[in-house]
Amino acid sequence: MQKRISVPLVFILFLSLLGCCEKSNKSSEWTSMNPESIPLSVRQTEYNKKNLVPNPSFEQVEIGENDSLIYRFKLSNWETIGKNVQLTDIDRKEVYESSEVSDGDHAIKIVRTFEDVKELDNEANGVLSDYIEVIPANYDFFFDIRLENIVPTSYLDRFQNRVGKNIDIHLKFYDGNKQEIDHGMYFEYVQKKIDNSFKGFAFANFFYIDRFDWGRVHGESWVYPFSEGDMPDGCRYIKIFLGLKSSGTMWVDNVDFRLSKWSMTPLERMDSLFEKQYHLTDLMIPKPKRIFNPEKIDLRNKAVSIISTGNSPEVKAAVVLLQSKLGKLQDVSLKTGQLSDENSNLQIICTGNQEPYKTKYQKDFEEIHDKEQGYFIRKENNRIVLGANSPTGIYYAATSLCQLIDHHQPSIDYADITDYPDFSGRSTLMINYNNRWTLERDPSLSDSAIQAILSQRETDLKKQVEDVDFYTFYKINNLYSYYFIQSTRWWMPGDFYKRLFQEVGKRCAVYGDIIHTAVQINPYYHINMEQRVDTLSDSLKLLFSHASNEGFEKIKMALKPALDGGAKTVMVCADDYIPHTGIIRGEYVLFNKEDEDRFTNLADAQNFMLTRLRNWLNKEYKNIRLEFVPAQYNNRFIDYGMGTAETYFRDLAGHLDPSVVLVWTGNTIRSLSYDHADIRRATDLYRRKPMIWDNSPYARLVETVNGGYPINYPEKSVLCNLFEPFDIQYPDNFPDFLDTRYYSNLGGFGEINKIKYLTFADFTWNTKDYDPEFSLFKALTQFVGQDNARLLLKFNEAYFSFVTDWAILRTKKAHDSTFVCSPQQKEKAEQKMKILKEAFSALDGIRNDALKKELETTMNSKIEAWNKLCGE
């Protein structure tokens, strides 16, 4: 009997081992460079584990005998390295303060003196985690940190350094056998490996840190366009080290390491959303702060009265909107007026903070009394009250109620709402175009081509005016112009520029104070991008001076058409076109003899220009917001300055009118992550809360040298989304650290961009509850319906599957000029083109011809790019 059993057992063991080998062979091909190389079930399982760090807040600990400060302790799942590592304990109030912990009762504290820091063989002191099992995919890494008196040198008299790697946050990578593997990661942008283990980049370029209170910081090796969080090929375990090499004090707590969503494609992240049923309250854009007391209101064969207690343009616009939306319902009779109609089955009352509603809804008005643009919606018996402290709030209440109208039943999917925005300014961009002067100087354009462009421009202007209604409905309230439209002869922008602001401004005026245009100007745009000052011609130098009346008149010539057309914001841009001295960009200088004779430096000259402009705006137009984009408009450019940026901002911000808003793009040009270290850097230099200029909506899919996945990470192109929702990482209470206006640099013209801007409206109104994937689901559903929304995502999947192959071959050809597409590659491309065209044909049911035209153009352009690459 034992012999009969042994045969199947051996056989089963053999099959088991064979299965393990097959699994091992497949998993050996897993790579973070190609998310789809890892089975979706594996990625989902890993994602659902959430934080992988054991004992992340150092609460599981055995504390030994200590006289006062806790040096003798044993952490679960962590090893202490060095003699200067303490465990804080808020229960020991005689030696530790409550501020020495961020989460729970304990944190790690490292204190190092100058005497302790060696010039040679200086080892970091800190804590090292046990092995943490991972897959070779993309991970998020965050931690809470506090710092004091960080001075990155062993001898102040000998070396003056930046912090660099002295705040030593790093990972160790291991294979399946727990053997350490190479921590270098090849980066196409620089065409070399960089240290992917180092994760303290957030502080690396500080000169020193006197004090940094507890903040949530992103553990990163570099910023965009580097793909942060990728594990090396073959990585199956990591260890986390949190330590300090220099003198100073460092506290760390609340460590979080988890698989990021950038290990999954857009459809993989969103597919489950299509399996659920939703109320209209779930699909509102933007999502209100509070929604409660849901109730279905049947409107069939009902009389509805719309009653307003005010007569402002904003309230009139609210009434017109309600009439328009409710008037489309069948079997509903509609009345409007300023008096109550007791015969109505339903009354919708638009009211400010006045009697008889002021007393009745006192608590509701008080809840929004200091909330700009806030509103509430309440129902009692047959009355729905739209209440607000401002006429703008009443209009926003109306837009929210209109989103709850069910046109299929007809009914209102009602709920009580209290709401207000996080950012009071939420922007989009108007059409981009070349003016006639620029077109006529382009030798590649014939007269007929120019006329065709000018004709299309007229069509676009009409559509831009119509889009004012769309953006106002979704609570976008600032429409900026591009400064590029003014041409390099920026002080003479042309007649169409004037008409743009007149006609769009006229449409904005219908809404009173709800929405306005905003004008950009760059008085350096006649100079080449990042040009060295010693290469400037005399003629270019003389075109603009900060000091001269002629220079200021040019600024006025560019601004007056916009301001006369109703613009309420002026953004003066000094980005990218100010000349610099030396071989490295960053040290920006005066370039005009008149300015050099009059001003101490560039900061002095720009302060003079902005002060003069501020005074002129106050005198001639009043209540105009003035914004300024400095040349060093992000932390990366500040670093380029080698210390000159710190001097520049000291001289500028220390004297600049406090009402002038300074603009910032984050840690780099296209910032995908903001943490407390990034924000602290800007706030300290700007001496005010920075206004965000956000370039992220196109960051991942842009195809420029310093661009996104298709250029630098070809196989990650499958992560891209033509309908990319607004998607950045940011700390809790993000709006509290920033100016009240948030600027997105995505063009607002076109159907695809309008879909994206719905998610931007969602984010800027309610950052706490914002979910990028669900926001895009809502946007697509509102735009084309739920079934067609999924078809758009299927088209996107097919498109970027094709883009991935194109990007891989483009990269190969960039490295090898003799590269030729193989027959197998051409056959594969033909199959993917077929799938792509079928996915496009499936969109026939979408009743938005403009959207389908944009998608078809995008598809055909990439097919043409493929054919060009392969010499077809």
Side-chain angles (χ1 to χ4, degrees):
M1 180 178 268
Q2 289 179 345
K3 290 181 181 179
R4 285 200 296 257
I5 293 174
S6 64
V7 174
L9 283 176
V10 170
F11 183 65
I12 290 170
L13 180 60
F14 170 75
L15 291 177
S16 177
L17 289 172
L18 180 62
C20 290
C21 290
E22 290 177 350
K23 182 178 180 181
S24 175
N25 288 336
K26 290 181 180 179
S27 64
S28 68
E29 298 173 359
W30 295 356
T31 171
S32 62
M33 295 299 103
N34 178 9
E36 292 182 317
S37 68
I38 306 173
L40 176 59
S41 61
V42 174
R43 287 176 280 144
Q44 288 176 328
T45 298
E46 184 76 356
Y47 185 80
N48 292 335
K49 291 177 182 178
K50 299 184 178 179
N51 188 10
L52 302 177
V53 180
N55 196 16
S57 293
F58 313 110
E59 301 302 311
Q60 298 168 30
V61 60
E62 296 178 7
I63 300 177
E65 293 289 333
N66 292 273
D67 294 334
S68 56
L69 301 176
I70 304 175
Y71 285 99
R72 296 186 184 91
F73 60 94
K74 184 177 181 180
L75 289 166
S76 295
N77 306 108
W78 294 85
E79 175 189 358
T80 58
I81 308 293
K83 64 180 182 179
N84 299 300
V85 182
Q86 301 177 39
L87 179 80
T88 64
D89 186 344
I90 59 174
D91 289 334
R92 302 195 181 194
K93 295 180 174 58
E94 67 279 6
V95 289
Y96 294 111
E97 299 177 357
S98 60
S99 61
E100 296 194 79
V101 169
S102 176
D103 181 67
D105 295 330
H106 302 294
I108 295 299
K109 179 179 181 180
I110 307 162
V111 183
R112 301 195 68 176
T113 63
F114 275 116
E115 292 75 17
D116 174 60
V117 177
K118 301 175 183 178
E119 183 171 327
L120 300 176
D121 302 321
N122 182 46
E123 295 294 329
N125 284 203
V127 291
L128 179 68
S129 76
D130 288 345
Y131 291 104
I132 299 171
E133 189 172 3
V134 297
I135 59 175
N138 185 272
Y139 285 79
D140 282 329
F141 178 28
F142 285 89
F143 51 88
D144 294 349
I145 192 169
R146 176 186 165 191
L147 301 164
E148 284 185 4
N149 302 320
I150 304 296
V151 181
T153 182
S154 54
Y155 303 105
L156 278 171
D157 294 338
R158 177 167 162 76
F159 295 114
Q160 300 294 320
N161 304 325
R162 296 198 189 214
V163 169
K165 295 184 178 180
N166 281 285
I167 297 176
D168 189 5
I169 312 293
H170 70 261
L171 306 180
K172 291 177 177 288
F173 305 111
Y174 302 87
D175 64 17
N177 297 317
K178 298 184 178 178
Q179 298 298 305
E180 192 166 359
I181 59 178
D182 183 13
H183 57 255
M185 182 72 76
Y186 179 79
F187 185 21
E188 178 67 23
Y189 179 53
V190 295
Q191 296 189 12
K192 63 182 71 174
K193 285 186 176 183
I194 72 166
D195 181 1
N196 189 43
S197 67
F198 173 61
K199 299 299 177 183
F201 185 77
F203 298 104
N205 287 302
F206 282 70
F207 287 100
Y208 66 92
I209 301 170
D210 56 349
R211 182 182 179 89
F212 180 84
D213 291 330
W214 281 111
R216 193 72 171 160
V217 171
H218 188 193
E220 55 190 359
S221 301
W222 206 4
V223 294
Y224 177 93
F226 183 72
S227 174
E228 179 53 53
D230 290 332
M231 298 296 101
D233 291 350
C235 182
R236 302 314 297 263
Y237 296 93
I238 65 158
K239 287 186 176 183
I240 299 173
F241 181 77
L242 310 162
L244 180 65
K245 287 184 177 180
S246 70
S247 63
T249 305
M250 168 179 158
W251 296 259
V252 68
D253 202 352
N254 195 18
V255 186
D256 194 297
F257 189 88
R258 65 181 68 200
L259 190 77
S260 86
K261 68 180 185 180
W262 297 105
S263 296
M264 285 169 273
T265 68
L267 188 57
E268 287 172 345
R269 298 197 301 267
M270 294 180 62
D271 220 9
S272 63
L273 298 175
F274 291 89
E275 299 171 1
K276 303 174 184 177
Q277 297 294 320
Y278 301 94
H279 296 288
L280 291 179
T281 49
D282 300 321
L283 302 176
M284 295 179 71
I285 300 176
K287 181 179 179 179
K289 290 290 194 299
R290 289 207 302 127
I291 305 173
F292 52 102
N293 295 334
E295 175 185 349
K296 194 77 169 179
I297 302 176
D298 188 354
L299 295 181
R300 285 173 296 184
N301 302 312
K302 298 290 176 65
V304 179
S305 294
I306 303 172
I307 301 163
S308 62
T309 61
N311 200 32
S312 67
E314 297 87 350
V315 174
K316 287 182 178 179
V319 172
V320 169
L321 178 66
L322 290 166
Q323 286 178 304
S324 173
K325 299 297 183 181
L326 290 167
K328 295 177 181 178
L329 298 177
Q330 293 183 349
D331 302 321
V332 175
S333 61
L334 196 62
K335 299 179 181 179
T336 60
Q338 292 186 313
L339 298 174
S340 176
D341 185 352
E342 298 299 334
N343 295 322
S344 297
N345 302 111
L346 179 66
Q347 298 179 21
I348 300 175
I349 301 170
C350 304
T351 181
N353 192 359
Q354 59 198 60
E355 298 298 354
Y357 306 103
K358 179 178 181 179
T359 302
K360 187 174 185 61
Y361 296 98
Q362 180 180 353
K363 290 184 178 179
D364 301 307
F365 279 113
E366 288 177 352
E367 191 172 355
I368 60 170
H369 83 279
D370 60 344
K371 308 296 184 183
E372 190 173 356
Q373 304 165 19
Y375 67 90
F376 64 82
I377 301 176
R378 296 291 185 271
K379 181 178 181 296
E380 185 177 5
N381 299 323
N382 71 330
R383 289 184 175 180
I384 296 176
V385 175
L386 311 184
N389 291 314
S390 70
T392 296
I394 292 175
Y395 178 80
Y396 286 156
T399 66
S400 293
L401 184 63
C402 285
Q403 291 192 48
L404 302 182
I405 298 172
D406 187 339
H407 292 271
H408 299 290
Q409 296 209 355
S411 60
I412 297 177
D413 201 3
Y414 178 83
D416 287 343
I417 292 174
T418 299
D419 200 18
Y420 48 86
D422 285 345
F423 291 97
S424 59
R426 304 164 300 279
S427 73
T428 186
L429 280 161
M430 294 189 287
I431 55 173
N432 190 13
Y433 65 89
N434 287 319
N435 66 15
R436 184 186 291 271
W437 182 84
T438 302
L439 295 173
E440 290 174 347
R441 276 151 186 79
D442 187 341
S444 68
L445 294 175
S446 63
D447 290 344
S448 60
I450 291 175
Q451 287 304 313
I453 293 171
L454 295 178
S455 176
Q456 183 60 49
R457 197 173 67 175
E458 294 296 326
T459 302
D460 291 346
L461 175 57
K462 293 178 182 178
K463 188 67 172 66
Q464 181 67 78
V465 173
E466 294 174 6
D467 283 352
V468 171
D469 300 339
F470 172 85
Y471 282 113
T472 308
F473 181 81
Y474 288 106
K475 301 180 175 69
I476 296 289
N477 60 358
N478 293 287
L479 304 174
Y480 280 78
S481 65
Y482 292 95
Y483 66 73
F484 308 111
I485 65 177
Q486 296 161 349
S487 79
T488 53
R489 193 176 64 166
W490 51 265
W491 57 93
M492 299 179 68
D495 293 336
F496 186 80
Y497 174 84
K498 181 178 180 179
R499 286 183 51 220
L500 172 67
F501 279 97
Q502 283 179 335
E503 296 187 27
V504 176
K506 182 179 178 181
R507 186 60 191 167
C508 290
V510 172
Y511 292 97
D513 201 37
I514 297 173
I515 187 168
H516 297 287
T517 55
V519 57
Q520 290 182 0
I521 180 177
N522 189 329
Y524 313 98
Y525 189 47
H526 55 284
I527 300 171
N528 291 332
M529 180 178 284
E530 291 295 341
Q531 189 169 356
R532 278 180 54 161
V533 69
D534 55 5
T535 66
L536 282 179
S537 66
D538 290 339
S539 59
L540 277 180
K541 291 179 181 179
L542 294 174
L543 278 176
F544 175 72
S545 164
H546 300 83
S548 69
N549 290 331
E550 292 81 1
F552 190 62
E553 285 301 317
K554 287 182 175 179
I555 291 176
K556 289 162 61 176
M557 288 169 62
L559 294 180
K560 278 183 65 64
L563 294 167
D564 292 343
K568 294 296 183 182
T569 299
V570 170
M571 178 187 282
V572 178
C573 300
D575 57 315
D576 299 340
Y577 294 94
I578 295 181
H580 63 87
T581 187
I583 61 173
I584 301 175
R585 65 187 288 182
E587 188 174 351
Y588 300 102
V589 293
L590 295 169
F591 52 89
N592 179 287
K593 183 65 165 60
E594 184 177 1
D595 286 346
E596 291 172 343
D597 291 341
R598 177 163 181 176
F599 302 114
T600 304
N601 52 29
L602 180 63
D604 188 20
Q606 290 180 333
N607 179 53
F608 174 82
M609 174 184 69
L610 293 169
T611 300
R612 190 177 188 182
L613 179 57
R614 172 79 281 169
N615 292 337
W616 177 72
L617 291 172
N618 288 344
K619 179 181 178 182
E620 297 296 329
Y621 292 96
K622 298 181 176 55
N623 299 321
I624 302 297
R625 175 182 164 99
L626 180 57
E627 301 163 350
F628 180 61
V629 185
Q632 306 91 330
Y633 56 87
N634 60 65
N635 294 358
R636 177 178 161 194
F637 287 6
I638 290 168
D639 297 337
Y640 283 155
M642 304 291 185
T644 60
E646 285 79 359
T647 301
Y648 167 83
F649 282 113
R650 180 196 64 204
D651 294 342
L652 177 71
H655 300 91
L656 193 63
D657 187 320
S659 70
V660 179
V661 178
L662 294 182
V663 178
W664 177 63
T665 66
N667 53 37
T668 189
I669 302 170
R670 304 182 190 114
S671 300
L672 299 178
S673 175
Y674 297 82
D675 64 23
H676 288 121
D678 298 328
I679 297 168
R680 156 76 185 272
R681 189 99 186 274
T683 304
D684 283 357
L685 291 177
Y686 282 20
R687 300 191 184 186
R688 63 200 73 196
K689 294 181 178 181
M691 170 184 160
I692 295 288
W693 170 311
D694 199 303
N695 292 310
S696 69
Y698 53 87
R700 295 179 180 92
L701 52 80
V702 68
E703 295 176 4
T704 57
V705 174
N706 64 338
Y709 293 141
I711 296 298
N712 289 308
Y713 299 92
E715 291 178 295
K716 285 179 177 280
S717 298
V718 293
L719 301 176
C720 292
N721 194 342
L722 290 168
F723 314 100
E724 178 102 0
F726 190 82
D727 199 343
I728 60 171
Q729 293 176 308
Y730 53 93
D732 292 342
N733 303 314
F734 187 45
D736 294 346
F737 304 104
L738 303 171
D739 181 74
T740 57
R741 183 174 296 188
Y742 202 107
Y743 171 90
S744 171
N745 200 41
L746 174 71
F749 191 73
E751 300 303 288
I752 294 175
N753 286 345
K754 283 160 71 174
I755 291 171
K756 292 183 176 186
Y757 263 107
L758 292 186
T759 70
F760 175 76
D762 212 11
F763 164 78
T764 49
W765 189 274
N766 187 350
T767 57
K768 182 179 179 181
D769 294 329
Y770 180 70
D771 179 308
E773 281 70 39
F774 188 59
S775 185
L776 178 58
F777 173 82
K778 294 190 296 181
L780 292 174
T781 299
Q782 290 211 18
F783 225 75
V784 298
Q786 187 167 319
D787 292 340
N788 287 327
R790 195 173 188 282
L791 291 177
L792 287 176
L793 291 176
K794 292 288 288 183
F795 172 82
N796 179 82
E797 184 180 64
Y799 175 76
F800 279 108
S801 178
F802 178 61
V803 169
T804 296
D805 287 1
W806 166 83
I808 291 170
L809 296 184
R810 187 213 65 82
T811 303
K812 289 180 179 179
K813 194 161 188 174
H815 288 278
D816 179 5
S817 60
T818 64
F819 170 81
V820 177
C821 295
S822 69
Q824 293 82 3
Q825 289 167 333
K826 291 181 179 180
E827 183 180 351
K828 182 181 177 184
E830 289 293 335
Q831 182 61 29
K832 289 201 171 184
M833 279 188 253
K834 179 182 177 182
I835 294 171
L836 176 57
K837 291 176 181 178
E838 289 173 351
F840 178 75
S841 297
L843 305 178
D844 282 346
I846 295 177
R847 292 181 295 178
N848 186 323
D849 292 338
L851 173 61
K852 289 188 288 187
K853 183 64 176 177
E854 288 180 32
L855 294 174
E856 184 178 28
T857 300
T858 300
M859 175 181 69
N860 290 338
S861 295
K862 191 54 65 185
I863 292 174
E864 182 181 344
W866 169 272
N867 290 334
K868 183 177 180 181
L869 181 69
C870 289
E872 295 294 320

